[in-house]
Amino acid sequence: MPHLHSVCPLDCPDRCSLQVNVEAGRIVSIDGSRVNPLTDGFICAKVRDFPRRVYGPDRLLHPMRRTGPKGSGRFDRITWDEALETIARRLETVRTEFGGEAILPFSYGGSNGLLTQGTTDERLFRALGASRLARTVCAAPTGAAAGALYGKMASVDFPDFARARFIIIWGANPKHSNIHLMPYLKAAREAGGRVALIDPRRTMSAAYVDMHLPVFPGSDGAVALAMIGHLERIGRVDRDFLARHATGWERLLKRARSYPLERAAALARVEARDIAAIAEAYATAEPALIRCGWGLERNRNGEAAVAAVLALPAVAGKFGVAGGGYALTSSPAYQVDDERLAGAPEATTRVINMNHLGRTLLEETSPPVKALFVYNCNPAVTVPDQNRIRRGLLREDLFTVVFDQVVTDTGTYADVLLPATTFLEHTELSTSYGTYAVMLGEPVIAPVGEARPNEEVFGQILRALRIEDPYPRGEALLREALGAIEGPVAGPAARQGARPADSPGDERLDRLRRDRILPFDFPGPRPVQFGTVFPGTPDRRADLWPAELGRDPYLLLDDPADAGHPLALISPATDRTISSTLGEYNHSDVRLEMHPRDAEARDLRDGQEVRVYNALGEVRVPLRTNPELRPGVVYLPKGIWNRHTKNGSVGTALVPDTVSAVSGGACFNDARVEVAPA
Ligand code: SF4
């Protein structure tokens, strides 16, 4: 049986290399491979089960046209030619009658590689003069804060966690969505290190975690500032490091003084002494490391919270040693030239925040959105304010195309459905956002049904619109994408310091085809922040009072308290889904989780069907009590589909479409709800 190489496409920092076992042109099983030494043959259940998507009953096999009312999910099969012609003519008509900005492309993530987004699709929508989309549903506040403080500085790599003697896991759950970090956490503890978890849920057992601070959602910024203030009070600010390597630190220290431990503790609903204990353990350990996740950005204070957390290693002088500093995302280190990949003059059309999809569809008038093209994304269940989005998608005058692998919840509202290939059926160039490697995935089976890759379909729409597109495709696009990586990826172009524009990526592609992986050429085995890699800021120093984050980068807004809805709803990723991808067959037993004390106060019992509600909507599911969740917080899993709840609504029906101040990030954890018997 052929064992073929591939790469996991899911939105996960680990980016496992895979061995796909194929028999008679059909996938038999998916295992881990050792091509990526970091994931080393071990994969999670998510991608192991991926054949269920490839061959499952939800797979979209042919182009389809709507036959029933909007949202009815009734479609008839049509040919690709009919579909492409219908789409091209409608886009043309919309552009003529309302202008290009009446077309809204809507995408996020997808195969998480360099080829399936931001290439041919980008050129199509730029050529049409379409509205641009701010992709802010995830990582926008974190990216804004990290970029402002440190520029494009590489993150600490997984293996160096084993060297740390104190690790703070802040707003992340590696057990579910970064599993290859777990052995290094364990190794750190076996070597005498300690681990603290800052999260509303105790997501890891005592085998991994020594201290747990169950902060209330949205209070992380106050806690981090209080820790900085406490470091100053106990004489643990590294003024030497700050004087040499940072700017703006005096203002940060002054700001932190306005968050004494007691104030932060009251906001976070924890004990002041517990915040102090973590700050002191962090200050005295060497090396000490912070794993900053994406949980703390999902509220009105996203940028300020992440900035305060990432300022801690500078204030405490934790950089300059392997196993010290912070780990966030490795993406900035790749330095991908997005404009080179787009290959078309930069657009200047209006920008629409994806978190405002419902509002935009219902309220935008200059011009109104008349054509919505959704790909690599399932906004009907993943974007805030689900009910408003549904009302928008039901508009009879809106022409909606959904291009996806399966018929998603968004797909049921489409006028035309287009079948997309999966990562097992197309070529993709993958970069890991947790570690440092570029990998190539090539088709291991023929497209299922009539599915086609993104690049091909957007190219065909360009042709149907008679728009000339001389940009490279196929193999040439692959070379171009490799050349667009300006970071220190192995290969002669990088080593000789040649500009990527001078190198078409040939050398890298040859090596990639041979080894299946391109590692990074850091000086030393892995990046050491302020040792071998430095901030990408203009003066190569940490900017601890960055103007990009506003006049007060650490300004914290009050909790969006709502008297009738006192509980905070969180919706993190699970061990089955990271986004809504694969949701079609997972989550057969969705529950609302709640602390037993909160359940008792409402006279609710395990297994009972409840309604979780606020002014925006309602979700009906059975209840599960969970003492690992802090009181005052309830939990619904991320990635569920409408079919998984009793009333066909998911957690995003309860999430306001308010956005964070600087980057317009989604505020999922600002949802305030009440729970009652159904
Ligand atoms: S989801 Fe993450 S851990 Fe699971 S196979 Fe993919 S990259 Fe590996």
Side-chain angles (χ1 to χ4, degrees):
M1 183 193 312
H3 305 305
L4 303 169
H5 165 79
S6 191
V7 187
C8 178
L10 299 178
D11 186 359
C12 168
D14 296 15
R15 196 62 76 232
C16 293
S17 57
L18 306 175
Q19 173 185 295
V20 186
N21 307 309
V22 177
E23 207 165 70
R26 225 181 133 82
I27 297 159
V28 177
S29 61
I30 298 179
D31 295 314
S33 86
R34 298 212 142 75
V35 166
N36 185 352
L38 211 78
T39 59
D40 196 29
F42 177 65
I43 59 169
C44 73
K46 293 186 273 285
V47 87
R48 195 179 286 284
D49 279 353
F50 203 91
R52 290 180 70 182
R53 163 161 279 212
V54 177
Y55 303 117
D58 294 285
R59 185 74 198 263
L60 184 53
L61 297 170
H62 317 282
M64 313 268 262
R65 176 186 287 140
R66 175 169 68 90
T67 53
K70 281 251 177 182
S72 64
R74 292 214 298 273
F75 298 96
D76 265 355
R77 181 177 174 178
I78 53 174
T79 65
W80 265 106
D81 284 348
E82 285 174 282
L84 293 168
E85 196 51 29
T86 305
I87 292 167
R89 298 295 77 85
R90 269 307 273 271
L91 294 180
E92 234 166 23
T93 308
V94 166
R95 186 166 61 149
T96 307
E97 288 181 15
F98 299 93
E101 288 182 334
I103 300 167
L104 177 63
F106 203 95
S107 65
Y108 193 88
S111 272
N112 291 295
L114 297 186
L115 305 183
T116 50
Q117 186 167 284
T119 56
T120 323
D121 53 327
E122 191 65 26
R123 290 195 301 287
L124 167 66
F125 295 117
R126 286 188 186 186
L128 287 167
S131 291
R132 289 174 290 163
L133 185 73
R135 294 193 182 94
T136 45
V137 77
C138 184
T142 299
L149 264 69
Y150 295 106
K152 292 184 171 181
M153 184 164 74
S155 228
V156 173
D157 204 355
F158 300 173
D160 281 334
F161 276 70
R163 296 168 179 258
R165 289 298 160 262
F166 193 72
I167 300 169
I168 302 178
I169 309 281
W170 204 319
N173 180 5
K175 207 173 135 206
H176 281 174
S177 37
N178 188 186
I179 56 172
H180 295 88
L181 187 62
M182 298 301 281
Y184 299 110
L185 292 182
K186 206 160 181 196
R189 289 188 83 228
E190 281 164 5
R194 289 192 297 157
V195 177
L197 172 69
I198 302 183
D199 196 287
R201 288 186 307 160
R202 182 183 250 285
T203 51
M204 289 187 285
S205 70
Y208 290 95
V209 165
D210 302 274
M211 307 161 93
H212 177 215
L213 192 67
V215 293
F216 193 75
S219 66
D220 305 80
V223 171
L225 288 174
M227 285 170 68
I228 290 171
H230 190 60
L231 293 179
E232 189 181 24
R233 272 191 304 280
I234 62 174
R236 285 287 183 171
V237 170
D238 188 340
R239 289 173 194 274
D240 229 35
F241 175 87
L242 291 172
R244 276 184 296 128
H245 292 293
T247 55
W249 54 276
E250 296 94 338
R251 297 182 79 181
L252 167 61
L253 291 183
K254 188 168 170 225
R255 191 75 179 84
R257 283 174 217 136
S258 64
Y259 280 90
L261 289 171
E262 293 70 23
R263 184 180 179 199
L267 292 167
R269 307 186 193 184
V270 295
E271 297 293 333
R273 63 172 179 274
D274 293 339
I275 302 177
I278 293 182
E280 287 161 23
Y282 176 69
T284 50
E286 199 63 50
L289 180 52
I290 296 177
R291 182 358 168 196
C292 178
W294 288 265
L296 56 152
E297 72 161 25
R298 294 165 181 265
N299 63 81
R300 68 220 168 270
N301 295 323
E303 294 88 2
V306 175
V309 168
L310 294 186
L312 270 162
V315 171
K318 297 300 176 187
F319 288 121
V321 51
Y326 71 84
L328 180 61
T329 168
S330 52
S331 293
Y334 292 85
Q335 297 177 42
V336 176
D337 182 347
D338 293 329
E339 282 307 306
R340 181 173 169 185
L341 269 179
E346 204 163 345
T348 53
T349 51
R350 73 175 170 188
V351 178
I352 288 175
N353 186 329
M354 71 191 303
N355 295 315
H356 290 154
L357 175 61
R359 193 176 290 278
T360 301
L361 292 178
L362 292 173
E363 296 171 15
E364 185 59 60
T365 53
S366 54
V369 172
K370 290 284 184 177
L372 177 70
F373 198 120
V374 181
Y375 58 109
N376 298 354
C377 198
N378 184 10
V381 291
T382 56
V383 171
D385 207 350
Q386 181 184 34
N387 289 324
R388 204 192 297 245
I389 292 172
R390 277 174 162 158
R391 291 196 295 276
L393 291 172
L394 283 171
R395 261 180 45 203
E396 275 303 330
D397 64 327
L398 176 71
F399 176 67
T400 303
V401 179
V402 176
F403 179 26
D404 211 316
Q405 298 160 359
V406 293
V407 185
T408 61
D409 283 318
T410 311
T412 59
Y413 293 90
D415 293 284
V416 176
L417 281 168
L418 299 178
T421 44
T422 68
F423 76 103
L424 299 158
E425 301 151 59
H426 61 228
T427 300
E428 183 55 290
L429 191 61
S430 296
T431 55
S432 161
Y433 70 87
T435 177
Y436 298 94
V438 178
M439 284 182 285
L440 176 64
E442 294 187 285
V444 296
I445 54 168
V448 172
E450 294 181 2
R452 292 182 182 176
N454 286 18
E455 184 206 345
E456 184 179 330
V457 171
F458 288 112
Q460 285 164 338
I461 299 173
L462 277 161
R463 258 201 305 283
L465 285 162
R466 292 175 289 280
I467 298 171
E468 221 175 288
D469 182 38
Y471 197 73
R473 298 264 173 78
E475 186 87 356
L477 174 61
L478 188 52
R479 285 202 182 86
E480 190 65 18
L482 275 166
I485 300 173
E486 296 183 358
V489 169
R495 276 206 296 270
Q496 290 163 8
R499 284 173 46 77
D502 303 327
S503 159
D506 288 3
E507 304 264 3
R508 287 176 175 175
L509 185 55
D510 289 347
R511 183 161 172 181
L512 199 47
R513 285 245 158 81
R514 190 190 68 210
D515 301 341
R516 300 284 173 198
I517 189 164
L518 282 182
F520 268 57
D521 266 352
F522 286 120
R526 288 177 292 277
V528 177
Q529 294 167 327
F530 290 88
T532 58
V533 295
F534 289 86
T537 50
D539 59 0
R540 308 234 308 163
R541 298 166 116 200
D543 185 354
L544 300 185
W545 197 269
E548 295 99 303
L549 298 187
R551 283 182 55 205
D552 179 354
Y554 303 97
L555 178 70
L556 299 173
L557 303 178
D558 290 343
D559 187 84
D562 174 348
H565 309 100
L567 302 164
L569 171 72
I570 58 169
S571 45
T574 73
D575 60 346
R576 309 300 304 184
T577 48
I578 301 169
S579 58
S580 79
T581 307
L582 313 182
E584 71 270 20
Y585 58 78
N586 279 308
H587 301 298
S588 55
D589 184 29
V590 169
R591 307 255 165 167
L592 176 83
E593 294 191 5
M594 177 182 248
H595 192 274
R597 220 185 314 152
D598 288 330
E600 201 184 323
R602 289 164 178 78
D603 206 14
L604 300 171
R605 58 181 196 289
D606 254 315
Q608 174 179 3
E609 191 182 319
V610 293
R611 44 189 290 264
V612 198
Y613 64 93
N614 61 19
L616 295 173
E618 170 177 312
V619 181
R620 290 180 178 229
V621 283
L623 180 77
R624 177 187 293 133
T625 53
N626 179 1
E628 305 295 349
L629 189 60
R630 62 151 300 133
V633 175
V634 291
Y635 158 87
L636 273 173
K638 184 181 177 189
I640 61 175
W641 288 29
N642 290 334
R643 65 182 68 169
H644 299 127
T645 66
K646 305 280 181 193
N647 66 334
S649 279
V650 301
T652 51
L654 306 165
V655 175
D657 71 351
T658 48
V659 294
S660 66
V662 179
S663 63
C667 295
F668 292 103
N669 294 353
D670 278 349
R672 297 292 176 265
V673 299
E674 183 51 288
V675 181

